[in-house]
Amino acid sequence: MLKNPKVWVIVIAAIVMGALVKIFTPLSIEAVRASISFAPEQLFAPHIGGYVFSISNTMCTTWIAMLIIVILFFFGTRKMQLIPGGLQNVLEMLIEYLVGLAESVAGHRAMKFFAIASTIFILLLVSNLIALIPGFGPIGVIHLAEGEHAPQGITIIGDAPSIFETKHEPGQEGPILAPFVRAPATDLNLALALALISVVMTQVYGFQAQGARYLTRFFSFGRLLKGNIAFGLIDVFVGIVELISEIMKIVAFTFRLFGNIFAGEIVLLIMAYLFLVLPFPFYGLELFVAVIQAFVFAVLTLAFMTIASAEHEAGAEHH
Amino acid sequence: MDKLGINIPWLLAQLINVILILVLLRVLAYKPVLAMLDKRKKKIAESLEYADKVKADAAAQQKEFERKYEEQQREFNVRLQSSQQVAEQERQRIVADAHEEALKIKESARGELDYERNQMVAELRQQVIELSMLGAQRVIGANLDQQKSRQLVENFLNEVEFGGNGQKPALTKEGAGA
Amino acid sequence: MTDQGLRLIATALAIGLAAIGPGIGIGLIAGAALQAMGRNPEASGTLTTTMFIGIVFTEALAIFGLVIAFMIGFKIF
């Protein structure tokens, strides 16, 4: 898709438009500060059946990404032809590439792990890329207190429709801009959800491949009970380290994804604040990071799953 | 945790999102695309196999054809040779026949010629005898004994013939016989 | 020194110190990968993938520092 020159022209035009917007409305540091928020902002809070559902902007963007994926795949695979063309060709190339990737990492177990890894890849790829469309980030709802003025660089178009219910934390200083569209990966909830699915499914596949023996990876008292105190204690210690490393995997997955994408957004924002054309090289870098993070999340998932279900041989050797 | 933006409802919602997209992708993408890739792989393998088969068939046919062609060529050669032999025999036979015929014709022609010639010679002799007898009668004036004079002339003629042309044994024999 | 000043120093130190190790590490990984590619150019495809995975593992440490820096800077704790 990126080989298509038309797509490139659209991307470049969008970058130029973003730059023009920044020329005419230079940012102030207050505007930058208002745009940066660690937590995703609440956009809607519909009351349904007595419950209040808080819907964040990252949630909306996740849905948009999901919708794009579903539409793409629905129209791409609706009328499958033996000789592919257009969209079907692109999607088939993507899937084929992912199958090849899974096979190169996981070998004969590839098709078992393929679905989760490639779902993570496709979801992250689409959501990271749509979040990089220029102009998506800075448009949103800003909550101004009584008598407060919007910081320089933020243009107030009008009153927000009443369906938007942004939160204003009591301790917060200054206004907060809640963008309509925010990169889903800058939501720790999504990152954590993906990490949880990845790590939990890794354990599930480990159990499936090795049965109860998989538990000896974490709780190996075999040598300790045989009376070999020194090595037994080492085994117990290694098991504890493995257990901690599984938990650290969740943390690492979460913060790697979140940190990269969130830092990318902040870098773009600060570069835009510092100088007009400075975001361009970083924009390219962020495109790269968006793809690499999706790729890395998928590959690491595959690799961990492969290690967890292939430890059978190593375990047999160990005992 | 709350300041990080992590809270249980949002986390659950995102988990549901991910599981939903997993199911949707499985239904919309992986199943049809993998089935299609598999189908295409099979199809390509099939058509390759078919192409190999066709190639092998063609090669076999080519070989068969060549074999048949050679066989026919050989047969043709054999037939050609035999017919050539036959033709040669026929030719020889015809030539021999013709030769024989020609000889026969020649022979018969010669026989006829001889006969005619003998006839003519006999006639001539008769005339010569008569003329000479007539001449002699005139000269002598006497009537010679026919029988005797004839004998005389004939003897003379025989002598002439012997002296002049000895290649006519038939004539002499005949003459001698007469 | 005000609280805000301390917070800024802590933010800068958090990301600054966290970037040292991974910086060296990524340099080592890339250098080793380039050497390996130079010795065996046919394997550069797999080497690139593996290099990226290695870089990402190393980079994660810097990212942790960055996240901590954000947390300090945005007064999350």
Side-chain angles (χ1 to χ4, degrees):
Chain A
M1 210 156 104
L2 286 178
K3 276 179 186 156
N4 191 341
K6 273 187 225 154
V7 175
W8 277 115
V9 168
I10 291 168
V11 168
I12 289 166
I15 292 172
V16 170
M17 273 167 61
L20 287 177
V21 167
K22 284 191 174 117
I23 289 170
F24 292 114
T25 59
L27 289 172
S28 65
I29 191 68
E30 285 78 26
V32 172
R33 215 172 265 152
S35 306
I36 299 173
S37 162
F38 219 81
E41 295 89 352
Q42 174 187 302
L43 272 189
F44 310 105
H47 299 251
I48 299 168
Y51 295 98
V52 181
F53 290 91
S54 171
I55 293 168
S56 61
N57 47 9
T58 49
M59 188 81 70
C60 291
T61 319
T62 312
W63 287 334
I64 292 170
M66 284 164 69
L67 201 67
I68 288 172
I69 294 168
V70 167
I71 287 171
L72 272 180
F73 275 97
F74 179 73
F75 285 104
T77 61
R78 192 177 41 165
K79 279 184 252 162
M80 294 286 278
Q81 274 154 356
L82 209 57
I83 296 152
L87 189 58
Q88 191 195 335
N89 206 356
V90 174
L91 297 181
E92 274 185 13
M93 269 163 62
L94 176 68
I95 300 281
E96 222 170 352
Y97 170 73
L98 288 172
V99 171
L101 184 70
E103 271 167 1
S104 74
V105 176
H108 66 283
R109 291 194 184 85
M111 293 325 283
K112 201 171 184 182
F113 312 146
F114 166 73
I116 286 176
S118 52
T119 302
I120 289 171
F121 178 78
I122 292 169
L123 180 64
L124 281 183
L125 185 72
V126 172
S127 60
N128 287 351
L129 285 180
I130 62 167
L132 277 177
I133 296 173
F136 264 37
I139 302 168
V141 185
I142 192 161
H143 195 287
L144 294 173
E146 206 61 44
E148 221 174 4
H149 290 289
Q152 196 206 346
I154 293 177
T155 316
I156 304 288
I157 298 167
D159 283 337
S162 57
I163 56 162
F164 292 112
E165 290 180 46
T166 53
K167 268 192 210 161
H168 196 260
E169 301 289 333
Q172 243 160 22
E173 300 161 18
I176 280 291
L177 177 75
F180 294 135
V181 198
R182 178 175 159 163
T186 61
D187 182 355
L188 272 171
N189 295 300
L190 177 70
L192 188 57
L194 288 172
L196 277 176
I197 285 176
S198 168
V199 173
V200 168
M201 287 314 285
T202 302
Q203 314 309 318
V204 169
Y205 287 138
F207 264 109
Q208 262 184 18
Q210 305 178 32
R213 188 199 282 271
Y214 181 70
L215 280 178
T216 59
R217 189 177 162 196
F218 307 118
F219 311 103
S220 60
F221 302 115
R223 282 207 276 193
L224 189 66
L225 293 179
K226 271 181 203 154
N228 194 340
I229 304 290
F231 283 103
L233 283 176
I234 287 173
D235 278 358
V236 171
F237 182 69
V238 167
I240 291 167
V241 169
E242 283 276 340
L243 205 60
I244 291 170
S245 85
E246 288 301 309
I247 293 161
M248 276 310 289
K249 260 187 215 166
I250 301 178
V251 178
F253 264 137
T254 311
F255 282 106
R256 182 184 298 123
L257 179 62
F258 172 82
N260 269 292
I261 306 299
F262 188 64
E265 294 224 321
I266 289 177
V267 163
L268 284 182
L269 204 64
I270 288 174
M271 289 303 153
Y273 163 70
L274 288 175
F275 192 64
L276 284 175
V277 289
L278 220 48
F280 292 132
F282 289 96
Y283 194 84
L285 181 73
E286 289 319 313
L287 272 176
F288 179 69
V289 166
V291 178
I292 281 290
Q293 285 309 312
F295 174 79
V296 157
F297 209 115
V299 169
L300 286 185
T301 302
L302 279 173
F304 288 148
M305 283 176 175
T306 311
I307 291 167
S309 50
E311 214 154 84
H312 195 257
E313 294 84 10
E317 194 183 303
H318 191 72
H319 289 285
Chain B
M1 284 299 240
D2 206 39
K3 274 190 166 173
L4 283 176
I6 299 174
N7 58 41
I8 299 298
W10 282 356
L11 180 61
L12 283 179
Q14 293 286 21
L15 268 173
I16 291 166
N17 277 349
V18 175
I19 290 166
L20 184 69
I21 195 73
L22 181 69
V23 171
L24 281 174
L25 273 177
R26 208 183 258 266
V27 172
L28 278 175
Y30 307 145
K31 257 190 200 163
V33 172
L34 289 179
M36 179 51 71
L37 290 179
D38 219 40
K39 200 171 151 194
R40 190 170 303 137
K41 208 185 275 175
K42 253 182 219 159
K43 182 103 182 169
I44 288 169
E46 247 170 48
S47 39
L48 277 181
E49 213 169 278
Y50 179 71
D52 278 353
K53 217 188 89 184
V54 165
K55 220 187 264 176
D57 277 4
Q61 264 181 354
Q62 175 82 10
K63 217 174 242 180
E64 176 76 15
F65 177 76
E66 269 169 17
R67 198 182 57 76
K68 267 189 186 164
Y69 178 76
E70 255 169 40
E71 206 171 88
Q72 275 181 350
Q73 196 76 18
R74 214 179 303 129
E75 209 172 297
F76 176 74
N77 278 345
V78 168
R79 253 190 229 168
L80 191 71
Q81 264 177 359
S82 72
S83 61
Q84 266 176 346
Q85 264 178 358
V86 168
E88 181 67 18
Q89 280 174 355
E90 191 74 2
R91 190 181 73 87
Q92 279 175 355
R93 196 180 59 76
I94 288 168
V95 166
D97 279 4
H99 213 72
E100 221 169 290
E101 194 80 5
L103 270 179
K104 251 187 217 161
I105 288 169
K106 215 166 136 187
E107 203 74 14
S108 72
R110 183 180 286 165
E112 227 163 90
L113 217 67
D114 277 356
Y115 175 75
E116 251 167 52
R117 188 165 167 242
N118 285 349
Q119 204 84 358
M120 266 162 66
V121 166
E123 241 169 70
L124 202 65
R125 186 184 268 181
Q126 207 67 35
Q127 280 179 356
V128 167
I129 290 169
E130 270 164 28
L131 276 176
S132 56
M133 276 179 65
L134 212 70
Q137 266 176 354
R138 286 262 176 94
V139 171
I140 307 167
N143 203 359
L144 277 174
D145 182 14
Q146 286 262 309
Q147 196 69 34
K148 237 183 181 169
S149 55
R150 192 173 290 261
Q151 194 68 43
L152 260 174
V153 174
E154 263 188 22
N155 281 350
F156 168 70
L157 277 174
N158 273 350
E159 266 168 37
V160 169
E161 270 180 7
F162 273 120
N165 195 351
Q167 279 181 336
K168 303 291 189 279
L171 193 73
T172 40
K173 240 183 225 168
E174 200 184 69
Chain C
M1 199 171 272
T2 59
D3 254 14
Q4 182 63 21
L6 276 175
R7 193 178 285 284
L8 286 175
I9 288 170
T11 309
L13 279 180
I15 177 59
L17 290 177
I20 296 172
I24 296 169
I26 290 174
L28 288 177
I29 292 170
L34 279 176
Q35 256 185 358
M37 279 180 215
R39 287 197 185 144
N40 190 5
E42 295 91 47
S44 48
T46 28
L47 281 173
T48 312
T49 314
T50 321
M51 180 187 80
F52 272 120
I53 293 171
I55 284 179
V56 162
F57 269 119
T58 318
E59 183 204 45
L61 300 172
I63 295 294
F64 291 162
L66 185 68
V67 171
I68 297 293
F70 283 147
M71 285 177 178
I72 298 169
F74 294 126
K75 300 180 187 173
I76 282 166
F77 43 62

